[in-house]
Every structure is written in structure tokens, then in C-alpha cells.
């Protein structure tokens, strides 16, 4: 996007495996709970931008 931005990624366990989800661009912490948090931002899929949120918690 030719500018600075915060990017969140989910990296696979093995370095050569593909990423599980597209990166979350302009990521920010939008919610927090005791055992979880929500990241919000924009995902680019096939050249299109979509608003997206990830609900993250430990297994």
C-alpha cells in the first residue's frame, strides 16, 4: 500500500508451509477479555480488500 501499517500474521509451525490466513493489514486490538482478544483490520484476497476481525484465544 506504499505506507507504514501494522500487519498481523499467523505463521505455520513449519517455516516452508503456507500461511493459514492472509495477513491482516492495519491491524489493531479491538477487544480484550480474560482469555482472548480480537484483532481487526483489512485482508486482501484476490486483489480485493475486506474488513476482517480475528478472535484469538489459546487452545
Amino acid at each position: 500500500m506504499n505506507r507504514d501499517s501494522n500487519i498481523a500474521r499467523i505463521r505455520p509451525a513449519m517455516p516452508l508451509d503456507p500461511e493459514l490466513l492472509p495477513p491482516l493489514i492495519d491491524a489493531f486490538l479491538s477487544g480484550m477479555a480474560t482469555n482472548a482478544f480480537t484483532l481487526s483490520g483489512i485482508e486482501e484476497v484476490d486483489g480485493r480488500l475486506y474488513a476482517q476481525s480475528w478472535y484469538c484465544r489459546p487452545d
Side-chain angles (χ1 to χ4, degrees):
M1 293 187 163
N2 216 12
R3 63 181 171 83
D4 292 338
S5 64
N6 294 324
I7 298 176
R9 297 179 185 271
I10 297 178
R11 298 192 184 238
M14 299 302 292
L16 297 179
D17 288 346
E19 290 186 0
L20 302 173
L21 293 171
L24 192 62
I25 303 166
D26 290 337
F28 64 95
L29 183 65
S30 59
M32 223 170 152
T34 304
N35 292 326
F37 61 93
T38 303
L39 292 175
S40 296
I42 301 169
E43 280 186 356
E44 183 177 356
V45 178
D46 297 329
R48 296 186 180 190
L49 300 175
Y50 297 95
Q52 184 70 30
S53 292
W54 294 350
Y55 179 72
C56 307
R57 64 181 175 87
D59 284 338

